[in-house]
Amino acid sequence: HSYYCNQFIGGHHMHSGKATDILFYTMNFSDYLANRIAYHLNLSGSAININTACSTSLTAVIKGCESLISGENDMVLAGGVSL
């Protein structure tokens, strides 16, 4: 993440002390992607980011199936992306 910030956005924006710094970080970290998607789709319930070395999508689907089987959720949305 720091390479991206320094090379493409400019490191001088990262520590300006402005209130927009937190927005900058949350809009660019992949850890917040599940929460942002859930918010924009107006979904309620848990929004979980799963990150593994090479089986992230499969692990997300497995966790979703476990959640359905246990009755924790009525519906699950699972997906994966690689950039």
Side-chain angles (χ1 to χ4, degrees), residues 16-82:
S16 65
K18 295 180 182 175
T20 55
D21 285 349
I22 190 70
L23 182 61
F24 170 79
Y25 285 116
T26 57
M27 297 297 279
N28 288 296
F29 274 155
S30 62
D31 297 341
Y32 295 102
L33 185 60
N35 297 42
R36 290 184 60 215
I37 291 172
Y39 174 79
H40 286 291
L41 294 177
N42 198 24
L43 301 176
S44 60
S46 56
I48 301 170
N49 181 49
I50 297 175
N51 206 358
T52 66
C54 61
S55 60
T56 302
S57 297
L58 178 60
T59 304
V61 170
I62 290 170
K63 290 305 220 180
C65 290
E66 289 173 351
S67 175
L68 290 172
I69 291 169
S70 71
E72 183 181 349
N73 292 310
D74 297 327
M75 181 179 72
V76 175
L77 175 65
V81 63
S82 177

